[in-house]
Amino acid sequence: MRKKLREFYATGDKRAIFLRAYYVMTTQVNASVHGGNEDFEQPIFFDPEWVDRLAGRFAQLYFQSLEKPACKAWKIAMERAASPHAWSVLQNMVLGINAHINFDLANGVHEFIRKAGEHRDAELMARRKFDHDQMNNVLVRCNPKIQDILGREFGGGMRLFSGVLGKFDELLTSTGLRYYRDRVWCNVLGLLSAKGPDELEKVRLRLEWEAQQVAEFIIDGSWMNKLVYGMDGLLCRKNFQGRFQPDGVGAIHAMGRMGHRLQMPH
C-alpha cells in the first residue's frame, strides 16, 4: 500500500484518495489484531489470526482491481478518479468503499470459509459472524482520523460537513457501515448456499448489480449528491502532488507484518 501510495502522490493520481483511507483502515485493523494502539488494549476477536489473514486477502482483491476492475462498481470508481471533471474527495472515497465492501468483501469472506469447509460447522459460523461484526466497531473508530488525514492532504469538505452535522455524522457513518456489512454477510450466506457454478454465478451477478446501483446513486442519485460533491470539490486542493507520509512507526510495523506474510511489496 505504501509503495502504491507513493506512486499515486508523485503523479497526482486521485486513486490515492480511497487508498489513503483504506491504508488508515488497514493499520487500524492491524492494531486491533496485533496491539500497538491505545484503542485496543484488550483482544476483541474470537480468532484474530483469521481476521488478519482475511484482511490480507481483502487487500489483494483491491490490488487486483487496480490492474483490472473486478466489477462495474470498480470500473466506475476508477474512471471517476481518472476524470479531470470529477474532483471530490468524498465522492472518490465513497465510490471505492462501495466497490470494496459490497463486492470484494463478500467474495473474500466466502472464499475463506468455503476453502476451509467452515460453513458445515454452525458454531464456527457464529464465531465468524461475531468477528465480522466486531470489525464494524474497528472501522467506525477510523472515521475521525480518515477525515483529518484526507482533509489535510487533499482538502475537501469532510471535516466541515462533520462539524456541521456533529454527532449525527457519527450516527450516519456507523449505521450505514453496519447496514452494508450486514448485507455482505447475507451475500456470503447466499454464495455458500449456491449449488453448483450456475447458482454461484447468479449470486455473484447480484453482488455486481447491487454494487453498481450504489455507485450510480453516489454519482447521480439526487440533487443533494451533486450539491454536496460540488461544495466538496470547491474546497479540494487542485494539486496534491507530493510525498506520501505514513501515519507513524506503529503503522509501518503493522503493515510490514502483513506485507511479509503475503509476500507483497510494501
Coordinates of all heavy atoms in Angstrom, one line a residue, residues 2 6 20 23-24 27 36 145 149 152-153 244-256:
R2 N 1.9 1.2 0.8 CA 2.8 2.4 0.9 C 3.4 2.7 -0.5 O 3.6 3.8 -0.9 CB 3.8 2.3 2.0 CG 3.2 2.2 3.4 CD 4.3 2.5 4.4 NE 5.4 1.6 4.4 CZ 5.4 0.4 5.0 NH1 4.4 0.0 5.6 NH2 6.5 -0.4 4.9
R6 N 2.9 6.1 -2.7 CA 4.0 6.9 -3.1 C 3.9 7.2 -4.6 O 4.1 8.4 -5.1 CB 5.3 6.3 -2.8 CG 5.6 6.3 -1.3 CD 7.0 5.8 -1.0 NE 7.2 5.6 0.4 CZ 7.3 4.5 1.0 NH1 7.1 3.3 0.3 NH2 7.5 4.4 2.3
R20 N -5.7 6.0 0.4 CA -5.2 6.6 1.7 C -6.2 6.3 2.8 O -5.8 6.0 3.9 CB -5.1 8.2 1.5 CG -4.5 8.9 2.7 CD -3.0 8.5 2.7 NE -2.3 9.2 3.8 CZ -2.1 8.8 5.0 NH1 -2.6 7.6 5.4 NH2 -1.4 9.5 5.9
Y23 N -5.7 2.7 3.7 CA -4.5 2.5 4.4 C -4.7 2.7 5.9 O -4.3 2.0 6.8 CB -3.4 3.4 3.9 CG -2.1 3.3 4.6 CD1 -1.1 2.4 4.2 CD2 -1.8 4.2 5.7 CE1 0.1 2.3 4.9 CE2 -0.6 4.1 6.3 CZ 0.4 3.1 5.9 OH 1.6 3.1 6.6
V24 N -5.5 3.8 6.2 CA -5.8 4.1 7.6 C -6.6 3.0 8.2 O -6.4 2.5 9.4 CB -6.6 5.4 7.7 CG1 -7.1 5.7 9.2 CG2 -5.7 6.6 7.3
T27 N -4.3 -0.2 8.8 CA -3.5 0.0 10.0 C -4.3 -0.2 11.3 O -3.8 -0.7 12.3 CB -2.7 1.3 10.0 OG1 -3.6 2.4 9.9 CG2 -1.7 1.4 8.8
G36 N -0.6 -2.4 19.8 CA 0.2 -1.2 19.4 C -0.7 0.0 19.2 O -0.3 1.0 18.5
K145 N -10.1 10.0 12.1 CA -8.8 10.0 11.6 C -8.8 10.1 10.1 O -8.0 10.9 9.5 CB -8.0 8.8 12.0 CG -6.5 8.8 11.7 CD -5.8 7.7 12.3 CE -4.3 7.8 12.1 NZ -3.5 6.7 12.6
I149 N -7.0 13.2 8.1 CA -5.9 12.9 7.1 C -6.3 13.4 5.7 O -5.5 14.0 5.0 CB -5.5 11.5 7.2 CG1 -4.7 11.2 8.5 CG2 -4.5 11.1 6.0 CD1 -4.4 9.7 8.7
R152 N -6.4 17.1 5.5 CA -5.1 17.7 5.5 C -4.4 17.5 4.1 O -3.7 18.5 3.6 CB -4.3 17.1 6.6 CG -2.9 17.7 6.7 CD -2.1 17.0 7.8 NE -1.7 15.6 7.4 CZ -1.9 14.5 8.1 NH1 -2.5 14.6 9.3 NH2 -1.5 13.3 7.7
E153 N -4.5 16.4 3.5 CA -3.7 16.0 2.4 C -4.4 16.3 1.0 O -3.7 16.6 0.0 CB -3.3 14.6 2.4 CG -2.4 14.3 3.7 CD -1.9 12.9 3.8 OE1 -2.1 12.1 2.8 OE2 -1.4 12.5 4.8
F244 N 4.2 10.9 -0.1 CA 3.3 10.3 0.9 C 4.0 10.1 2.2 O 5.1 9.6 2.2 CB 2.8 8.9 0.3 CG 2.3 8.0 1.4 CD1 1.1 8.3 2.1 CD2 2.9 6.8 1.7 CE1 0.6 7.5 3.0 CE2 2.4 6.0 2.7 CZ 1.2 6.3 3.3
Q245 N 3.4 10.5 3.3 CA 3.9 10.3 4.6 C 3.1 9.3 5.4 O 1.9 9.5 5.6 CB 3.9 11.6 5.4 CG 4.8 12.7 4.8 CD 6.3 12.3 4.9 OE1 6.7 11.6 5.8 NE2 7.1 12.9 4.1
P246 N 3.6 8.1 5.8 CA 2.9 7.2 6.6 C 2.4 7.8 7.9 O 3.0 8.8 8.3 CB 3.9 6.0 6.8 CG 4.9 6.2 5.8 CD 5.0 7.6 5.5
D247 N 1.5 7.1 8.6 CA 0.9 7.7 9.8 C 1.8 7.6 11.0 O 1.4 8.1 12.1 CB -0.5 7.0 10.1 CG -1.4 7.1 8.9 OD1 -1.2 8.1 8.1 OD2 -2.2 6.2 8.7
G248 N 2.9 6.8 11.0 CA 3.7 6.7 12.1 C 4.4 5.3 12.1 O 4.1 4.5 11.3
V249 N 5.3 5.2 13.1 CA 6.2 4.0 13.1 C 5.3 2.8 13.4 O 5.5 1.7 12.8 CB 7.2 4.1 14.2 CG1 8.0 2.8 14.4 CG2 8.2 5.2 13.9
G250 N 4.3 2.9 14.3 CA 3.4 1.7 14.6 C 2.7 1.2 13.3 O 2.6 0.0 13.1
A251 N 2.3 2.2 12.5 CA 1.6 1.8 11.3 C 2.5 1.1 10.3 O 2.1 0.1 9.7 CB 1.0 3.1 10.6
I252 N 3.8 1.6 10.2 CA 4.7 1.0 9.3 C 5.0 -0.5 9.8 O 5.0 -1.4 8.9 CB 6.0 1.8 9.3 CG1 5.8 3.2 8.7 CG2 7.1 1.1 8.5 CD1 7.0 4.1 8.8
H253 N 5.2 -0.7 11.0 CA 5.5 -2.0 11.5 C 4.3 -3.0 11.3 O 4.5 -4.1 10.9 CB 5.8 -2.0 13.0 CG 7.1 -1.4 13.3 ND1 7.6 -1.1 14.6 CD2 8.1 -1.0 12.5 CE1 8.8 -0.6 14.5 NE2 9.1 -0.5 13.3
A254 N 3.1 -2.5 11.5 CA 1.9 -3.3 11.3 C 1.7 -3.7 9.9 O 1.5 -4.9 9.5 CB 0.6 -2.6 11.8
M255 N 1.9 -2.7 9.0 CA 1.8 -3.0 7.5 C 2.9 -3.9 7.1 O 2.7 -4.7 6.2 CB 1.8 -1.7 6.7 CG 0.5 -0.9 7.0 SD -1.0 -1.8 6.6 CE -0.8 -2.0 4.9
G256 N 4.1 -3.8 7.7 CA 5.2 -4.6 7.3 C 4.9 -6.1 7.6 O 5.3 -7.0 6.9

